[in-house]
Amino acid sequence: MSILILIDIIQVVLFVFFLMTGTKIMSGKLADEFKRFGFPSFFNFLTGFFEIIGAIGILIGIWIPISALLAGLLLGCTMLVAAFTLIVLVRDPFKKAVPALILCVLSLGIVIYHTIYNIGAL
């Protein structure tokens, strides 16, 4: 039972974080970063949209596990691309990618949990 509480807490934290950052990205406040990465301007909208949809899905996933699984995949992959972009494409120091990697691991941990304990039980 305590693992379920931890998973719910992680889902709420991911919801808050991705809702805030997704909104910030969609507003254009990080447009300079996306230009620095060499991405076209629509990536601001696309990335922000993915993060907001993922945030909502991860929260709904507290009650509907398949939502958490799908949202966790979306957010985990988004953060993996972010880390890859920072480390490989723009050659930033590894430490700048650590937050994205942590969010990736947390998101994919939600996927694994719901795959094993909810979807696998069906």
Side-chain angles (χ1 to χ4, degrees):
M1 186 58 128
S2 61
I3 187 78
L4 181 58
I5 293 169
L6 177 63
I7 292 297
D8 287 347
I9 290 169
I10 292 170
Q11 285 180 234
V12 169
V13 168
L14 289 172
F15 165 73
V16 171
F17 178 82
F18 282 112
L19 187 65
M20 289 175 23
T21 58
T23 303
K24 187 175 182 180
I25 291 169
M26 280 188 83
S27 73
K29 291 182 180 174
L30 297 176
D32 289 341
E33 278 293 292
F34 281 81
K35 284 181 189 173
R36 182 174 79 88
F37 301 155
F39 294 149
S41 60
F42 78 88
F43 267 55
N44 287 332
F45 177 82
L46 188 63
T47 304
F49 179 76
F50 283 170
E51 289 193 12
I52 291 170
I53 293 299
I56 294 166
I58 209 98
L59 184 66
I60 292 170
I62 291 173
W63 301 279
I64 305 171
I66 190 72
S67 177
L69 190 150
L70 296 173
L73 280 173
L74 175 66
L75 295 171
C77 290
T78 301
M79 290 299 99
L80 192 59
V81 169
F84 178 83
T85 298
L86 290 169
I87 296 167
V88 177
L89 298 182
V90 294
R91 303 194 190 283
D92 277 352
F94 181 80
K95 67 181 180 180
K96 286 192 82 173
V98 168
L101 291 169
I102 290 170
L103 290 165
C104 176
V105 168
L106 289 173
S107 297
L108 295 178
I110 296 297
V111 171
I112 292 167
Y113 172 83
H114 285 292
T115 299
I116 293 170
Y117 293 102
N118 289 309
I119 308 307
L122 295 179

PDB file of all heavy atoms in Angstrom, residues 24-41 44:
ATOM      1  N   LYS A  24       4.970  27.374 -19.620  1.00  0.00           N
ATOM      2  CA  LYS A  24       6.079  28.311 -19.842  1.00  0.00           C
ATOM      3  C   LYS A  24       6.635  28.163 -21.265  1.00  0.00           C
ATOM      4  O   LYS A  24       6.906  29.150 -21.941  1.00  0.00           O
ATOM      5  CB  LYS A  24       7.173  28.059 -18.803  1.00  0.00           C
ATOM      6  CG  LYS A  24       8.289  29.063 -18.817  1.00  0.00           C
ATOM      7  CD  LYS A  24       9.254  28.785 -17.663  1.00  0.00           C
ATOM      8  CE  LYS A  24      10.358  29.788 -17.610  1.00  0.00           C
ATOM      9  NZ  LYS A  24      11.286  29.540 -16.503  1.00  0.00           N
ATOM     10  N   ILE A  25       6.780  26.929 -21.710  1.00  0.00           N
ATOM     11  CA  ILE A  25       7.312  26.687 -23.057  1.00  0.00           C
ATOM     12  C   ILE A  25       6.338  27.201 -24.116  1.00  0.00           C
ATOM     13  O   ILE A  25       6.742  27.874 -25.059  1.00  0.00           O
ATOM     14  CB  ILE A  25       7.613  25.185 -23.265  1.00  0.00           C
ATOM     15  CG1 ILE A  25       8.801  24.761 -22.394  1.00  0.00           C
ATOM     16  CG2 ILE A  25       7.901  24.885 -24.735  1.00  0.00           C
ATOM     17  CD1 ILE A  25       9.000  23.255 -22.320  1.00  0.00           C
ATOM     18  N   MET A  26       5.047  26.885 -23.944  1.00  0.00           N
ATOM     19  CA  MET A  26       4.047  27.313 -24.935  1.00  0.00           C
ATOM     20  C   MET A  26       3.916  28.831 -25.010  1.00  0.00           C
ATOM     21  O   MET A  26       3.588  29.369 -26.053  1.00  0.00           O
ATOM     22  CB  MET A  26       2.683  26.695 -24.640  1.00  0.00           C
ATOM     23  CG  MET A  26       2.587  25.264 -25.117  1.00  0.00           C
ATOM     24  SD  MET A  26       0.934  24.604 -24.980  1.00  0.00           S
ATOM     25  CE  MET A  26       0.209  25.224 -26.478  1.00  0.00           C
ATOM     26  N   SER A  27       4.197  29.507 -23.889  1.00  0.00           N
ATOM     27  CA  SER A  27       4.082  30.970 -23.866  1.00  0.00           C
ATOM     28  C   SER A  27       5.214  31.642 -24.635  1.00  0.00           C
ATOM     29  O   SER A  27       5.166  32.847 -24.883  1.00  0.00           O
ATOM     30  CB  SER A  27       4.074  31.478 -22.424  1.00  0.00           C
ATOM     31  OG  SER A  27       5.372  31.384 -21.849  1.00  0.00           O
ATOM     32  N   GLY A  28       6.248  30.879 -24.989  1.00  0.00           N
ATOM     33  CA  GLY A  28       7.368  31.444 -25.735  1.00  0.00           C
ATOM     34  C   GLY A  28       8.509  31.925 -24.860  1.00  0.00           C
ATOM     35  O   GLY A  28       9.493  32.463 -25.363  1.00  0.00           O
ATOM     36  N   LYS A  29       8.410  31.728 -23.549  1.00  0.00           N
ATOM     37  CA  LYS A  29       9.453  32.204 -22.640  1.00  0.00           C
ATOM     38  C   LYS A  29      10.778  31.471 -22.812  1.00  0.00           C
ATOM     39  O   LYS A  29      11.812  31.963 -22.394  1.00  0.00           O
ATOM     40  CB  LYS A  29       8.989  32.104 -21.193  1.00  0.00           C
ATOM     41  CG  LYS A  29       7.884  33.086 -20.856  1.00  0.00           C
ATOM     42  CD  LYS A  29       7.470  32.995 -19.417  1.00  0.00           C
ATOM     43  CE  LYS A  29       6.365  34.012 -19.152  1.00  0.00           C
ATOM     44  NZ  LYS A  29       5.824  33.886 -17.803  1.00  0.00           N
ATOM     45  N   LEU A  30      10.743  30.314 -23.456  1.00  0.00           N
ATOM     46  CA  LEU A  30      11.975  29.558 -23.702  1.00  0.00           C
ATOM     47  C   LEU A  30      12.322  29.515 -25.189  1.00  0.00           C
ATOM     48  O   LEU A  30      13.111  28.673 -25.620  1.00  0.00           O
ATOM     49  CB  LEU A  30      11.847  28.138 -23.142  1.00  0.00           C
ATOM     50  CG  LEU A  30      11.672  28.038 -21.624  1.00  0.00           C
ATOM     51  CD1 LEU A  30      11.451  26.599 -21.204  1.00  0.00           C
ATOM     52  CD2 LEU A  30      12.874  28.618 -20.907  1.00  0.00           C
ATOM     53  N   ALA A  31      11.766  30.434 -25.955  1.00  0.00           N
ATOM     54  CA  ALA A  31      11.991  30.449 -27.405  1.00  0.00           C
ATOM     55  C   ALA A  31      13.478  30.566 -27.746  1.00  0.00           C
ATOM     56  O   ALA A  31      13.943  29.942 -28.713  1.00  0.00           O
ATOM     57  CB  ALA A  31      11.200  31.581 -28.051  1.00  0.00           C
ATOM     58  N   ASP A  32      14.215  31.330 -26.970  1.00  0.00           N
ATOM     59  CA  ASP A  32      15.653  31.483 -27.241  1.00  0.00           C
ATOM     60  C   ASP A  32      16.403  30.156 -27.086  1.00  0.00           C
ATOM     61  O   ASP A  32      17.337  29.881 -27.840  1.00  0.00           O
ATOM     62  CB  ASP A  32      16.269  32.543 -26.323  1.00  0.00           C
ATOM     63  CG  ASP A  32      15.820  33.951 -26.679  1.00  0.00           C
ATOM     64  OD1 ASP A  32      15.336  34.156 -27.819  1.00  0.00           O
ATOM     65  OD2 ASP A  32      15.947  34.842 -25.818  1.00  0.00           O
ATOM     66  N   GLU A  33      15.993  29.351 -26.114  1.00  0.00           N
ATOM     67  CA  GLU A  33      16.628  28.040 -25.936  1.00  0.00           C
ATOM     68  C   GLU A  33      16.371  27.155 -27.150  1.00  0.00           C
ATOM     69  O   GLU A  33      17.272  26.497 -27.637  1.00  0.00           O
ATOM     70  CB  GLU A  33      16.092  27.347 -24.666  1.00  0.00           C
ATOM     71  CG  GLU A  33      16.754  27.801 -23.398  1.00  0.00           C
ATOM     72  CD  GLU A  33      18.224  27.403 -23.320  1.00  0.00           C
ATOM     73  OE1 GLU A  33      18.528  26.197 -23.199  1.00  0.00           O
ATOM     74  OE2 GLU A  33      19.076  28.300 -23.381  1.00  0.00           O
ATOM     75  N   PHE A  34      15.135  27.154 -27.634  1.00  0.00           N
ATOM     76  CA  PHE A  34      14.813  26.323 -28.794  1.00  0.00           C
ATOM     77  C   PHE A  34      15.554  26.807 -30.042  1.00  0.00           C
ATOM     78  O   PHE A  34      15.968  25.999 -30.862  1.00  0.00           O
ATOM     79  CB  PHE A  34      13.295  26.281 -29.015  1.00  0.00           C
ATOM     80  CG  PHE A  34      12.579  25.345 -28.086  1.00  0.00           C
ATOM     81  CD1 PHE A  34      12.254  25.728 -26.793  1.00  0.00           C
ATOM     82  CD2 PHE A  34      12.255  24.061 -28.494  1.00  0.00           C
ATOM     83  CE1 PHE A  34      11.605  24.862 -25.929  1.00  0.00           C
ATOM     84  CE2 PHE A  34      11.608  23.181 -27.631  1.00  0.00           C
ATOM     85  CZ  PHE A  34      11.285  23.594 -26.339  1.00  0.00           C
ATOM     86  N   LYS A  35      15.751  28.109 -30.161  1.00  0.00           N
ATOM     87  CA  LYS A  35      16.560  28.643 -31.269  1.00  0.00           C
ATOM     88  C   LYS A  35      18.002  28.179 -31.132  1.00  0.00           C
ATOM     89  O   LYS A  35      18.644  27.818 -32.112  1.00  0.00           O
ATOM     90  CB  LYS A  35      16.506  30.178 -31.286  1.00  0.00           C
ATOM     91  CG  LYS A  35      15.237  30.738 -31.830  1.00  0.00           C
ATOM     92  CD  LYS A  35      15.278  32.264 -31.836  1.00  0.00           C
ATOM     93  CE  LYS A  35      13.919  32.833 -32.175  1.00  0.00           C
ATOM     94  NZ  LYS A  35      13.874  34.284 -32.030  1.00  0.00           N
ATOM     95  N   ARG A  36      18.505  28.203 -29.892  1.00  0.00           N
ATOM     96  CA  ARG A  36      19.883  27.764 -29.634  1.00  0.00           C
ATOM     97  C   ARG A  36      20.061  26.304 -30.028  1.00  0.00           C
ATOM     98  O   ARG A  36      21.116  25.899 -30.511  1.00  0.00           O
ATOM     99  CB  ARG A  36      20.213  27.973 -28.150  1.00  0.00           C
ATOM    100  CG  ARG A  36      21.625  27.594 -27.752  1.00  0.00           C
ATOM    101  CD  ARG A  36      21.899  27.979 -26.307  1.00  0.00           C
ATOM    102  NE  ARG A  36      21.346  27.044 -25.350  1.00  0.00           N
ATOM    103  CZ  ARG A  36      21.974  25.955 -24.897  1.00  0.00           C
ATOM    104  NH1 ARG A  36      23.183  25.655 -25.325  1.00  0.00           N
ATOM    105  NH2 ARG A  36      21.418  25.164 -24.011  1.00  0.00           N
ATOM    106  N   PHE A  37      19.013  25.510 -29.836  1.00  0.00           N
ATOM    107  CA  PHE A  37      19.063  24.097 -30.204  1.00  0.00           C
ATOM    108  C   PHE A  37      18.961  23.903 -31.711  1.00  0.00           C
ATOM    109  O   PHE A  37      19.199  22.815 -32.219  1.00  0.00           O
ATOM    110  CB  PHE A  37      17.923  23.316 -29.548  1.00  0.00           C
ATOM    111  CG  PHE A  37      17.904  23.365 -28.041  1.00  0.00           C
ATOM    112  CD1 PHE A  37      16.720  23.183 -27.367  1.00  0.00           C
ATOM    113  CD2 PHE A  37      19.049  23.589 -27.296  1.00  0.00           C
ATOM    114  CE1 PHE A  37      16.665  23.215 -25.983  1.00  0.00           C
ATOM    115  CE2 PHE A  37      19.016  23.632 -25.919  1.00  0.00           C
ATOM    116  CZ  PHE A  37      17.817  23.445 -25.259  1.00  0.00           C
ATOM    117  N   GLY A  38      18.553  24.940 -32.427  1.00  0.00           N
ATOM    118  CA  GLY A  38      18.394  24.834 -33.872  1.00  0.00           C
ATOM    119  C   GLY A  38      17.038  24.289 -34.291  1.00  0.00           C
ATOM    120  O   GLY A  38      16.865  23.857 -35.428  1.00  0.00           O
ATOM    121  N   PHE A  39      16.078  24.313 -33.378  1.00  0.00           N
ATOM    122  CA  PHE A  39      14.741  23.805 -33.685  1.00  0.00           C
ATOM    123  C   PHE A  39      13.855  24.911 -34.252  1.00  0.00           C
ATOM    124  O   PHE A  39      13.987  26.068 -33.861  1.00  0.00           O
ATOM    125  CB  PHE A  39      14.066  23.243 -32.430  1.00  0.00           C
ATOM    126  CG  PHE A  39      14.728  22.010 -31.876  1.00  0.00           C
ATOM    127  CD1 PHE A  39      14.702  21.751 -30.533  1.00  0.00           C
ATOM    128  CD2 PHE A  39      15.368  21.099 -32.703  1.00  0.00           C
ATOM    129  CE1 PHE A  39      15.292  20.617 -30.002  1.00  0.00           C
ATOM    130  CE2 PHE A  39      15.965  19.956 -32.200  1.00  0.00           C
ATOM    131  CZ  PHE A  39      15.929  19.720 -30.839  1.00  0.00           C
ATOM    132  N   PRO A  40      12.941  24.569 -35.150  1.00  0.00           N
ATOM    133  CA  PRO A  40      11.993  25.566 -35.663  1.00  0.00           C
ATOM    134  C   PRO A  40      11.056  26.025 -34.548  1.00  0.00           C
ATOM    135  O   PRO A  40      10.866  25.333 -33.542  1.00  0.00           O
ATOM    136  CB  PRO A  40      11.225  24.813 -36.753  1.00  0.00           C
ATOM    137  CG  PRO A  40      11.471  23.375 -36.520  1.00  0.00           C
ATOM    138  CD  PRO A  40      12.747  23.251 -35.756  1.00  0.00           C
ATOM    139  N   SER A  41      10.456  27.191 -34.732  1.00  0.00           N
ATOM    140  CA  SER A  41       9.655  27.805 -33.668  1.00  0.00           C
ATOM    141  C   SER A  41       8.442  26.972 -33.261  1.00  0.00           C
ATOM    142  O   SER A  41       8.003  27.049 -32.121  1.00  0.00           O
ATOM    143  CB  SER A  41       9.231  29.211 -34.075  1.00  0.00           C
ATOM    144  OG  SER A  41       8.451  29.162 -35.254  1.00  0.00           O
ATOM    145  N   ASN A  44       8.367  24.956 -29.929  1.00  0.00           N
ATOM    146  CA  ASN A  44       7.914  25.531 -28.656  1.00  0.00           C
ATOM    147  C   ASN A  44       6.512  25.044 -28.357  1.00  0.00           C
ATOM    148  O   ASN A  44       6.230  24.539 -27.265  1.00  0.00           O
ATOM    149  CB  ASN A  44       7.899  27.064 -28.702  1.00  0.00           C
ATOM    150  CG  ASN A  44       9.270  27.665 -28.678  1.00  0.00           C
ATOM    151  OD1 ASN A  44      10.202  27.088 -28.150  1.00  0.00           O
ATOM    152  ND2 ASN A  44       9.392  28.823 -29.266  1.00  0.00           N
TER     153      ASN A  44
END
